[in-house]
Amino acid sequence: MKTGTGEVGPGWVLAAEPSGSGAKTGKVRIYQVAREHDVSSEAVLKIVRDMGVAVKSHMSSIEVDTVEAVRLTFDREKEVARQDDERRKVVHLKADSAGKSAPSAADVVKVSASAGSPKDSKADSAKRRTGRGSRRRGRPSADPKVVQATIRQTMAESGGKRRRHKKKDRAHVEEAEDGNRTLRVSEFMSTSELAALMEVAASQLIGKAMELGSMVTINQRLDRDMIEMLAIEFDHEVVFEMDADEVPYREEEVDPATLAPRGPIVTIMGHVDHGKTSLLDHIRKTNVIAGEAGGITQHIGAYHVKTANGDVTFLDTPGHEAFTAMRARGAQLTDLVVLVVAADDSVMPQTVEAIDHAKAASVPILVAVNKIDRPEANPEQVRQQLTGYGITPEEWGGENIVVDVSAKTGEGVDRLLEMILLQAEVLELKASHDCAARGTIVEARKDRGRGVVVTALVQEGTLRVGDALVAGGEFGRVRAMHDERDHRVESAGPSQPVAVQGFSQVPRAGDSFLVMPSDREARDMARRRQMVLREQARRSQTHTTLENLFERIQEGTARELRAIVKGDVDGSVEAVADSLEKLSTEDVHIQIIHRGAGAITESDVLLAAASDAIILGFHVKPDPTAAGAVKREGVDCRSYGVIYEAVEDVRAAMEGLLEPEVVRKQVGRAEVRQIFRVPKLGAIAGSMVLSGEVRRKAGVLVIREGETLHEGAVASLRRFKDDVAEVKNGFECGIGVEGFPGLQEGDILEVFEDVKVARRL
């Protein structure tokens, strides 16, 4: 799918460019327009909806002509604000000429009503009708900002005292030059907390929310858009402390001149038994600069290797599963992937999975053909096989560096390191060494002798002993740091991993860490993050599914449907994949990010979670571990027995036609103990409810000696002589079955309900 390149404003890129048209008819997302005008997305949504344009959220797209109309609206608002500023100047000039202090609010009202031309007055009247001004007829209305500013100045000069509000952390409020304040807030804070921060009554906040069309309570937690809207209504700007996980307090801009080269971070991946661990062990033991003897090698999950040509950090992960699991957590650590393939073997399923995982992460792949010392080694055959998966050696005109090595003899290992560093030069990896440190937690555990020990990989700045840290929802102070050889170190720079002691609790692998100015601020940030993480877990965004695909396409948030295809045989997999790719349209492109034969594994689920993909299985289902991961990660995973069913489901989803699946839910079971004949009602089964409950008008199966004789509905249900809606387990009742007069003693009545659910495995 091609994206347009025509710009309609700074930072805006057209969402689509129809073919065969010379005009700019693409679309721009709501949040881009809001960002350009420095307002909330909700403000833009309100304006667009007032124009009669149907939009659902900040991710919805609007036409360029609508963008222009929004711009004109904001231009008019700016003009009104400019006129307000002019009137304010008139007020102060009159006050100065009279030799008095600032005028009262009543004076401001008079001047505000008389200042400006008739045309200006009409424009202000129009704003008052639609804005926040007075709605009283026959009376001029002052601009609230002018009145409030004048009152503040008058009280300050006269020594007046404002009403005291309850004590709060002033570090969260910053006074701007124009009198507006910037509030540092966290998403999902309560109405009362926001009111206290803005120094207004909670009832005022609730009333304003009602004016905006939302009902909130004093203890309700507010989402991002509602916080932004309410802040704007009370003339505040907000900065969300969770906007960027890495920089909640500091917004320092790093001077490009201070950036210095850093070593590459490399992950070794490949099929089991192809020599990943042996290669890493050889590199660690033989390519370390002399003079570092002593110390016991510690498994810290990452190793910093100093070579004559530069430094390299290797991530020692169990395989592509861990690599993708960290990526799913948002930790994009790796600069390069070294794919290890045995020269005496062939490209195996895990090799293909590793390639797909690296490609999905957009990480360069460098191939190490290992075990070339063996007599049966055939490196050329391996190269040939790799070309079938998009890996083409440089010597064959491709883009991938391929090096023959032997982890056993060491042959080619030095050249592999040279190529890694050469690739790093091409990538121009740089980082600041002087700013406060930030990075990612690679591993974390609780050690009996040392307490909580985490492997921290520094990505920017320098981490030092004594620094206060926060990682995810945990905090601590660096008491000690050790490298992988258990040498104590006092500091660690970019691309350097260290084992850190000092956290209060164990953070999660993949959490970002950063240095805070003090222990108190680290503790406060961790506490706020814990609250946000809890709320976000409850309101977590779902992955793409076939049920929500059409809605996302309509909103413009789905431009690509990623899929993983697994099958019982390669032929079926290729047939399904090819058929799906042919469904691509202008609105959505279907990309198969991984295909293979065999059961759906946990690795497949993790890749789908990290890449926001769906999983389609043909004659295969998730293994037990993968089934748990499907539920945990919320991935859409489906199995089919016929190819065209899978293709039709995807096509129907793209067209918004996917029907929900009807699932039969057993409600209760009853045993027929006696048959009664009732005039006009026919046979009534005197029954005992064995489990669950029997409900009137629910579906019922009549089962005799294990065989289903009839499917109908509960036509009548009585307890003694009374009609009832339901009878629970352990009670007797009379049951009439619609359309089946041949009930007998001993029959089992299974009561059920058909429930429509989203179609998924």
Side-chain angles (χ1 to χ4, degrees), residues 185-189 221-224 240-245 329 472-473 508 511 528-542:
V185 299
S186 58
E187 191 177 5
F188 305 122
M189 70 190 314
R221 297 204 175 275
L222 308 176
D223 60 22
R224 178 183 296 259
F240 286 92
E241 292 178 339
M242 293 297 291
D243 267 352
D245 198 32
R329 297 282 324 285
R508 296 182 298 174
D511 278 342
R528 284 193 293 274
R529 281 186 174 183
Q530 287 172 356
M531 179 190 72
V532 172
L533 289 171
R534 283 195 300 268
E535 292 293 334
Q536 286 178 340
R538 277 195 337 182
R539 307 184 183 198
S540 59
Q541 184 178 4
T542 57

Side-chain angles (χ1 to χ4, degrees), residues 356-401:
D356 290 338
H357 283 244
K359 285 184 176 180
S362 301
V363 177
I365 300 174
L366 190 152
V367 181
V369 182
N370 193 24
K371 303 185 181 181
I372 60 170
D373 57 290
R374 295 196 173 183
E376 59 272 27
N378 190 347
E380 293 303 308
Q381 180 181 336
V382 170
R383 285 171 167 79
Q384 184 65 46
Q385 290 176 341
L386 287 172
T387 58
Y389 300 96
I391 305 295
T392 307
E394 277 189 334
E395 61 264 31
W396 291 6
E399 298 180 352
N400 298 98
I401 299 173

Side-chain angles (χ1 to χ4, degrees), residues 391-594:
I391 305 295
T392 307
E394 277 189 334
E395 61 264 31
W396 291 6
E399 298 180 352
N400 298 98
I401 299 173
V402 180
V403 181
D404 294 338
V405 299
S406 171
K408 183 177 181 180
T409 66
E411 181 182 353
V413 174
D414 288 339
R415 174 169 167 73
L416 175 64
L417 290 171
E418 289 176 8
M419 291 299 102
I420 290 173
L421 292 167
L422 178 63
Q423 183 69 53
E425 287 183 18
V426 174
L427 295 175
E428 295 183 344
L429 304 173
K430 292 183 179 181
S432 172
H433 292 247
D434 300 326
C435 63
R438 70 173 186 85
T440 301
I441 304 299
V442 177
E443 285 187 355
R445 67 183 189 278
K446 188 168 273 189
D447 187 273
R448 181 172 296 180
R450 296 183 174 182
V452 177
V453 180
V454 303
T455 299
L457 180 57
V458 182
Q459 293 173 277
E460 182 182 332
T462 302
L463 181 65
R464 296 179 174 85
V465 173
D467 283 344
L469 287 177
V470 62
E474 309 302 337
F475 68 94
R477 172 176 285 274
V478 181
R479 295 202 313 266
M481 293 193 298
H482 297 81
D483 62 16
E484 70 270 17
R485 300 186 67 80
D486 207 28
H487 293 159
R488 196 178 183 101
V489 294
E490 296 298 317
S491 63
S495 298
Q496 186 173 348
V498 282
V500 176
Q501 298 170 233
F503 273 93
S504 55
Q505 297 294 330
V506 181
R508 296 182 298 174
D511 278 342
S512 295
F513 76 83
L514 56 106
V515 170
M516 302 296 291
S518 67
D519 289 346
R520 181 183 64 82
E521 288 175 281
R523 187 182 302 108
D524 291 345
M525 173 55 62
R527 185 179 66 249
R528 284 193 293 274
R529 281 186 174 183
Q530 287 172 356
M531 179 190 72
V532 172
L533 289 171
R534 283 195 300 268
E535 292 293 334
Q536 286 178 340
R538 277 195 337 182
R539 307 184 183 198
S540 59
Q541 184 178 4
T542 57
H543 290 292
T544 296
T545 67
L546 292 188
E547 276 74 29
N548 66 25
L549 175 61
F550 181 72
E551 182 180 348
R552 290 193 174 193
I553 293 173
Q554 293 297 96
E555 291 181 356
T557 59
R559 290 297 189 187
E560 183 177 72
L561 173 62
R562 294 182 167 193
I564 295 171
V565 179
K566 297 298 288 286
D568 53 345
V569 293
D570 286 333
S572 300
V573 171
E574 293 303 320
V576 173
D578 292 343
S579 299
L580 290 175
E581 288 175 336
K582 291 176 183 177
L583 295 178
S584 296
T585 66
E586 270 189 30
D587 292 324
V588 60
H589 171 70
I590 298 179
Q591 180 188 2
I592 310 300
I593 63 172
H594 176 62

Side-chain angles (χ1 to χ4, degrees), residues 681-698:
L681 293 180
I684 298 297
S687 309
M688 170 66 73
V689 182
L690 303 179
S691 64
E693 61 188 25
V694 176
R695 299 175 186 170
R696 184 152 42 94
K697 296 184 180 180

Side-chain angles (χ1 to χ4, degrees), residues 105-123:
D107 295 329
V108 177
V109 172
K110 294 176 183 177
V111 176
S112 187
S114 60
S117 64
K119 182 178 179 181
D120 292 338
S121 299
K122 290 179 181 177

